[in-house]
C-alpha cells in the first residue's frame, strides 16, 4: 500500500496491520521505519534503519518515558 504526501509530492510505501497501525514505512530517500505496538495499540518501539530505535514506556494510562537507544 502506498500513501501519497501531496505537500512533499512523494509516495511512501506503508504496511499496516488489521487495526490500521503503521508497521513499516519506506520513504523515497530509502529511509526505513519499523513500528511495534502493545495490545492497546500504543506505539512501543520505533526502529530507524541503521540509526537505532526509540522506545515508549507507559504507565497504565499515560505515556511515561521515551528513550532513544
Amino acid at each position: 500500500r502506498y500513501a501519497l504526501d501531496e505537500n512533499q509530492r512523494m509516495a511512501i510505501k506503508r504496511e499496516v496491520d488489521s487495526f490500521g497501525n503503521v508497521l513499516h514505512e519506506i520513504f523515497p530517500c530509502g529511509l526505513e521505519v519499523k513500528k511495534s505496538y502493545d495490545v492497546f495499540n500504543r506505539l512501543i518501539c520505533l526502529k530507524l534503519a541503521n540509526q537505532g530505535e526509540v522506545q515508549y514506556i507507559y504507565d497504565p494510562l499515560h505515556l511515561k518515558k521515551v528513550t532513544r537507544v
Side-chain angles (χ1 to χ4, degrees):
R1 180 183 283 185
Y2 286 88
L4 181 61
D5 182 334
E6 293 181 4
N7 292 329
Q8 300 295 322
R9 295 188 177 159
M10 66 177 159
I12 303 166
K13 184 176 180 183
R14 289 190 175 141
E15 177 187 344
V16 297
D17 65 14
S18 59
F19 297 104
N21 297 318
V22 177
L23 300 174
H24 187 212
E25 292 179 300
I26 302 174
F27 293 84
C29 63
L31 175 67
E32 285 191 55
V33 178
K34 294 183 181 182
K35 300 177 182 179
S36 302
Y37 301 86
D38 66 12
V39 296
F40 300 107
N41 293 309
R42 298 179 299 192
L43 183 64
I44 57 172
C45 185
L46 184 143
K47 293 184 182 181
L48 303 167
N50 300 321
Q51 296 180 21
E53 63 184 54
V54 179
Q55 296 176 344
Y56 300 84
I57 299 171
Y58 299 86
D59 66 16
L61 297 175
H62 304 97
L63 179 63
K64 183 178 177 181
K65 185 177 180 182
V66 177
T67 306
R68 184 161 183 177
V69 184

